[in-house]
Amino acid sequence: MKNLYIVGAGGFGREVYGWLRDEVALLKDHHFIGFLDDDESALTAFDSEYGVVGSITGFKADENDSFICGIGSVKWKKQLCQPMLASGARFLTLVHPTALIGRGVQLGEGVVICPRVTLTCDIRIGTMTMINCHSSVGHDVSVGDWSTISAHCDLTGGTVLGDEVFLGSGVRILPGKKIGARSTLGAGSVVIRDVPESVSVFGNPARVI
């Protein structure tokens, strides 16, 4: 039986814990210990049966430890989890049982697929990327590492996202569009043209802001 921790005790981490309880098969082989967070008081305002059991920074993982990423922020997810990966920490890929996963879908290490997500076919999702509830990813889409796709997004066929991309809730991307690395797409944006690297866009149609 391996020890299991959720990295991050903020809002998304608490959501991940709720979904983890639906993963009966995973919990047969893993004993959930609690949350890692650099803020030891992160859960004091909540009625939680598990607490913060250690800091993320400097945590020494051993071969019996497994982790699930519970950090939605692209910046903080990479800043806090990349050193853990480099030191040999093992991040599990979590796919909620209500998600629809088609043929030819490749999921990287540490990916989190939330309830009611649809991944149709021939899709690549990069390492440590998360896709939140009710989002849809069409055929031949590629999503880079360390990205976050918020709830109710629609990535249509052939869309390409670079590394460290953040999509706010309800983003719509037209077929075949390319989103540059480290860019942010504001909630509700409709993307009708390619987005360059390291910019923020918002609106319908989405424009650089």
Side-chain angles (χ1 to χ4, degrees):
M1 182 79 67
K2 290 186 176 294
N3 299 322
L4 180 59
Y5 302 85
I6 292 175
V7 179
F12 184 59
R14 287 182 278 116
E15 290 177 343
V16 168
Y17 171 66
W19 302 325
L20 176 63
R21 297 173 68 178
D22 297 329
E23 292 290 336
V24 177
L26 177 64
L27 293 176
K28 286 181 179 178
D29 301 320
H30 293 81
H31 173 59
F32 183 64
I33 303 298
F35 295 84
L36 300 180
D37 200 287
D38 287 352
D39 178 6
E40 63 180 15
S41 65
L43 295 173
T44 55
F46 302 95
D47 182 16
S48 176
E49 56 193 306
Y50 292 94
V52 175
V53 297
S55 295
I56 303 171
T57 303
F59 186 83
K60 302 298 183 184
D62 64 34
E63 61 183 14
N64 199 47
D65 293 334
S66 296
F67 305 89
I68 296 173
C69 182
I71 302 173
S73 162
V74 170
K75 172 186 174 181
W76 289 109
K77 174 169 54 175
K78 185 173 184 181
Q79 183 170 318
L80 292 168
C81 295
Q82 191 173 50
M84 295 182 68
L85 282 169
S87 67
R90 176 174 175 259
F91 278 82
L92 302 181
T93 293
L94 179 68
V95 179
H96 193 269
T98 62
L100 177 61
I101 310 297
R103 297 180 62 185
V105 174
Q106 302 174 38
L107 302 178
E109 180 180 1
V111 165
V112 176
I113 305 296
C114 302
R116 310 295 180 183
V117 166
T118 298
L119 305 176
T120 61
C121 67
D122 304 311
I123 293 165
R124 176 194 172 273
I125 307 296
T127 297
M128 302 299 289
T129 285
M130 59 80 62
I131 305 179
N132 216 326
C133 302
H134 296 279
S135 286
S136 176
V137 180
H139 62 85
D140 304 302
V141 167
S142 177
V143 179
D145 301 338
W146 301 101
S147 293
T148 291
I149 298 170
S150 300
H152 297 280
C153 290
D154 185 13
L155 282 65
T156 54
T159 299
V160 177
L161 271 62
D163 295 341
E164 301 173 54
V165 170
F166 180 85
L167 271 59
S169 298
V171 168
R172 303 288 185 265
I173 304 177
L174 269 61
K177 298 300 175 279
K178 296 178 173 58
I179 311 301
R182 299 173 301 281
S183 285
T184 296
L185 282 58
S189 295
V190 178
V191 178
I192 65 171
R193 58 181 66 87
D194 291 351
V195 174
E197 295 184 357
S198 304
V199 299
S200 295
V201 303
F202 179 73
N204 180 8
R207 295 182 173 86
V208 175
I209 56 174

